């Protein structure tokens, strides 16, 4: 993890943050918004103000009172340029503490995405006594069920605190989360009993299912393995070429060979079960694996054996993405593209995408965080942070605005699906490949872990029903009588 300060953390640190910080809004295992530190919320009819009623009787772990002024101080701090949340909260013009239990956000644009934002890091409220602390990254102070009692490189230990407002919901008195990057090491630690739960690759699922003392928990997630296309590169600015690239990708083969059937092939960013999913899109002609048609489109665009298109495929230096990139290279070479691999430090990939210093980038995108419309704003709209080539579909900005006019999914889904379909028809700058199964290996008897689609793990209800001691490491799991260990 990079930091336990939600305003300085990286995108995958949320599992470390959630035990300490309650958010204003929570997300349940089905992806529905439910009360957190805010018990009610409402977007105004014009979409320009967002009102919240706060939970009464909540205190922070340092004894400070949770109220509207604390919310205002956290959000005001999160809006500063040095915060990693400043861009997400850019639509919030001012925060008004109407009274101790009511907060009003005044917005510069329509705010239909605010429940999503406030259910993740942007809604994690920090004690007003600690929000400006330079040591917050190692000594966090929130209003969540756990306090950090030990922090070292790659390991965090949490214990419950008596002042939590919903202490009856907390089963695990102690949780230890350990970063263990190697897939095989995690599997061995889980099988040996060193871990009670571990995040695993989909290809490891069968080994868990065949074990007598383990079981698989698999929840819907919003992660999609993808190829980001820089439309500012000559050749990639042609929609025929981008369509050819998509047609060349053998998604089913990648799923079978690389993931053992654990990565749902998809040509759209949102798979079935997520509200922006477009029924029937994956069955269309432009969604099929068709190398012959891909070659014909390249020929039509002026590229052939005598004048081949040359591209570099970048990948983070993580084994599973390098393997994916190599399969993508093979698919592209099969249609006559001269493709080379460029392995980059993981920390360099996001800056490279923002600055347009790539041709194609193999990566994973969390299309649901902080809100589905954020994906479109970043990748599909002109001026988007991850759209350095300036891909643009006429009317997309209007459709995005319409999808943010309400917090009701039924109102949002029609214009947003329209935007996604228009982008697909224009050969988008993101080629979706497959959505990996979220596979968590768990020791039998350990239960109660909640994993919402956006990955904000909920540990409060985790317990060991066998009555035996448990030892958990990095992720979830535990039991009132003992320490638990989990790993991701």
């Amino acid at each position: 993890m990079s930091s336990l300060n939600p305003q300085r953390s990286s995108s995958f640190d949320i599992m470390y943050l959630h035990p300490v910080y309650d958010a204003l809004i929570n997300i349940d295992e089905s992806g529905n918004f439910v009360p957190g530190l805010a018990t009610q919320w409402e977007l105004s009819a014009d979409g320009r103000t967002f009102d919240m009623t706060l939970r009464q009787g909540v205190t922070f772990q340092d004894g400070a009172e949770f109220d509207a002024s604390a919310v205002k101080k956290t959000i005001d701090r999160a809006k500063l340029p040095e915060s990693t949340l400043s861009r997400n909260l850019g639509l919030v013009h001012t925060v008004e503490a109407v009274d101790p239990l009511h907060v009003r956000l005044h917005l510069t644009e329509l705010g239909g995405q605010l429940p999503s934002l406030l259910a993740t890091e942007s809604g994690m409220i920090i004690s007003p006594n600690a929000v400006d602390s330079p040591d917050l990254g190692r000594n966090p102070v929130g209003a969540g069920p756990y306090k950090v009692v030990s922090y070292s490189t790659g390991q965090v230990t949490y214990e419950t605190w008596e002042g939590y407002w919903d202490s009856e919901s907390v089963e695990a008195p102690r949780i230890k989360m350990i970063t263990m990057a190697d897939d095989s090491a995690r599997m061995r630690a889980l099988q040996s009993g060193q871990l009670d739960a571990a995040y695993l690759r989909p290809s490891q699922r069968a080994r868990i299912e065949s074990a007598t003392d383990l079981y698989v928990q698999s929840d819907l997630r919003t992660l999609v393995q993808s190829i980001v296309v820089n439309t500012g590169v000559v050749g990639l600015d042609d929609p025929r070429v981008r369509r050819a690239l998509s047609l060349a990708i053998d998604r089913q083969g990648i799923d079978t060979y690389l993931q053992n059937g654990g990565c749902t092939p998809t040509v759209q960013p949102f798979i079935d079960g997520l509200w922006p999913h477009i029924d029937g899109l994956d069955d269309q002609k432009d969604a099929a694996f068709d190398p012959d048609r891909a070659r014909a489109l390249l020929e039509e665009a002026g590229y052939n054996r005598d004048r081949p298109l040359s591209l570099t495929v970048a990948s983070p230096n993580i084994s599973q993405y390098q393997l994916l990139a190599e399969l993508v290279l093979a698919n592209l070479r099969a249609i006559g593209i001269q493709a080379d691999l460029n392995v980059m430090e993981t920390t360099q990939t996001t800056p490279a995408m923002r600055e347009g210093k790539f041709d194609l980038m193999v990566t994973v995108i969390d299309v649901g965080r902080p809100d589905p419309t954020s994906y479109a704003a970043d990748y599909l709209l002109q001026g988007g942070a991850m759209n350095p080539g300036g891909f643009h579909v006429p009317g997309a900005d209007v459709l995005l605005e319409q999808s943010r006019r309400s917090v009701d999914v039924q109102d949002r889904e029609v214009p947003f699906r329209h935007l996604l379909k228009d982008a697909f028809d224009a050969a988008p700058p993101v080629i979706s490949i497959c959505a990996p199964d979220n596979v968590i290996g768990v020791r039998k008897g350990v239960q109660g872990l909640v994993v919402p689609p956006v990955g904000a793990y909920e540990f409060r209800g985790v317990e060991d029903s066998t009555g035996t001691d448990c030892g958990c490491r990095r992720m979830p799991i535990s039991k009132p009588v003992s320490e638990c260990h989990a790993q991701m």
Side-chain angles (χ1 to χ4, degrees):
M1 85 295 296
S2 60
S3 175
L4 293 177
N5 178 350
Q7 300 180 5
R8 293 295 183 93
S9 61
S10 65
S11 58
F12 289 100
D13 285 342
I14 190 169
M15 69 186 74
Y16 295 95
L17 300 171
H18 209 250
V20 178
Y21 299 102
D22 268 5
L24 289 165
I25 298 173
N26 286 335
I27 304 177
D28 65 18
E29 61 268 30
S30 300
N32 301 311
F33 297 115
V34 295
L37 292 178
T39 58
Q40 297 179 52
W41 53 89
E42 182 180 13
L43 184 67
S44 62
D46 66 358
R48 298 288 180 168
T49 57
F50 189 80
D51 285 88
M52 290 178 286
T53 300
L54 305 182
R55 190 175 297 279
Q56 192 169 10
V58 176
T59 58
F60 291 97
Q61 293 158 358
D62 61 358
E65 182 180 1
F66 168 76
D67 58 13
S69 63
V71 173
K72 174 177 170 55
K73 189 167 185 178
T74 287
I75 297 179
D76 283 345
R77 183 69 179 77
K79 284 170 49 61
L80 297 178
E82 61 266 27
S83 167
T84 55
L85 305 176
S86 59
R87 186 168 171 274
N88 289 340
L89 291 170
L91 78 163
V92 178
H93 179 57
T94 56
V95 183
E96 178 186 358
V98 179
D99 61 47
L101 293 178
H102 293 88
V103 174
R104 177 170 297 143
L105 306 183
H106 297 271
L107 312 176
T108 59
E109 58 187 73
L110 300 178
Q113 73 273 37
L114 272 170
S116 294
L117 297 180
L118 299 178
T120 54
E121 293 92 334
S122 296
M124 291 181 174
I125 306 303
I126 305 166
S127 167
N129 297 332
V131 68
D132 294 319
S133 170
D135 195 38
L136 191 64
R138 296 182 64 88
N139 293 290
V141 185
Y146 294 95
K147 297 179 68 172
V148 171
V149 295
S150 175
Y151 180 108
S152 61
T153 302
Q155 182 170 302
V156 185
T157 303
Y158 308 82
E159 289 182 354
T160 55
W161 71 290
E162 295 180 356
Y164 185 55
W165 65 269
D166 190 21
S167 59
E168 292 184 357
S169 70
V170 183
E171 299 287 348
R174 185 177 176 91
I175 293 173
K176 185 181 293 183
M177 300 173 68
I178 298 176
T179 301
M180 193 179 293
D182 184 80
D183 297 329
S184 298
R186 286 201 304 275
M187 172 64 80
R188 289 192 299 270
L190 181 65
Q191 290 175 316
S192 68
Q194 297 177 54
L195 305 180
D196 293 302
Y199 177 72
L200 302 171
R201 290 180 61 183
S203 59
Q204 296 172 309
R205 181 174 190 142
R207 293 173 63 184
I208 298 299
E209 291 175 333
S210 64
T212 58
D213 58 343
L214 302 172
Y215 71 94
V216 170
Q217 178 169 333
S218 185
D219 303 275
L220 186 67
R221 287 291 305 275
T222 53
L223 297 175
V224 180
Q225 293 181 355
S226 309
I227 306 169
V228 181
V229 181
N230 184 358
T231 58
V233 172
V234 174
L236 299 179
D237 56 346
D238 190 325
R240 295 169 297 185
V241 172
R242 298 196 299 274
R243 184 68 67 201
L245 299 180
S246 182
L247 292 169
I249 303 302
D250 182 5
R251 294 170 175 83
Q252 190 63 57
I254 288 173
D255 174 38
T256 301
Y257 176 76
L258 189 60
Q259 304 286 8
N260 288 352
C263 197
T264 303
T266 181
V267 299
Q268 57 181 309
F270 299 93
I271 61 173
D272 192 16
L274 302 173
W275 66 262
H277 177 77
I278 302 172
D279 290 339
L281 186 63
D282 288 87
D283 300 322
Q284 292 189 4
K285 179 182 178 182
D286 285 340
F289 171 51
D290 194 340
D292 291 335
R293 185 163 171 245
R295 294 186 194 96
L297 284 170
L298 286 178
E299 184 81 29
E300 185 179 319
Y303 298 101
N304 51 44
R305 182 175 298 179
D306 297 327
R307 184 177 176 261
L309 177 63
S310 296
L311 297 172
T312 298
V313 178
S315 164
N317 61 343
I318 299 174
S319 58
Q320 61 178 311
Y321 297 115
Q322 287 182 232
L323 290 171
L324 177 59
E326 289 170 1
L327 292 178
V328 168
L329 283 173
N331 287 167
L332 298 184
R333 288 166 180 166
I335 63 169
I337 292 176
Q338 290 184 351
D340 297 310
L341 179 63
N342 175 27
V343 179
M344 307 175 64
E345 291 290 334
T346 302
T347 55
Q348 295 176 356
T349 56
T350 297
M353 283 193 285
R354 290 181 182 275
E355 297 167 15
K357 296 179 179 179
F358 71 104
D359 296 342
L360 306 174
M361 179 76 74
V362 171
T363 187
V364 62
I365 302 174
D366 193 336
V367 297
R369 291 194 64 206
D371 180 73
T373 60
S374 304
Y375 166 80
D378 283 345
Y379 290 91
L380 304 180
L381 262 65
Q382 200 163 27
M386 300 298 181
N387 182 16
F391 173 85
H392 177 64
V393 176
D397 51 347
V398 175
L399 291 169
L400 183 72
E401 184 176 276
Q402 291 174 355
S403 69
R404 290 177 166 177
R405 191 174 295 278
S406 170
V407 297
D408 190 330
V409 166
Q410 292 184 335
D411 296 331
R412 305 184 73 197
E413 60 186 9
V414 171
F416 191 56
R417 289 174 181 171
H418 189 176
L419 188 163
L420 294 174
K421 181 60 167 60
D422 286 352
F424 179 80
D425 291 342
V430 179
I431 299 172
S432 299
I433 299 176
C434 64
D437 293 349
N438 187 52
V439 176
I440 301 170
V442 187
R443 187 168 61 81
K444 285 188 176 177
V446 176
Q447 58 190 17
L449 172 68
V450 175
V451 186
V454 294
Y457 293 83
E458 177 59 76
F459 305 114
R460 285 181 298 178
V462 175
E463 61 180 328
D464 186 346
S465 62
T466 64
T468 60
D469 287 350
C470 67
C472 114
R473 291 197 158 130
R474 201 206 140 177
M475 194 188 77
I477 307 353
S478 41
K479 159 186 186 1
V481 301
S482 180
E483 168 184 299
C484 258
H485 301 181
Q487 156 67 40
M488 285 291 281

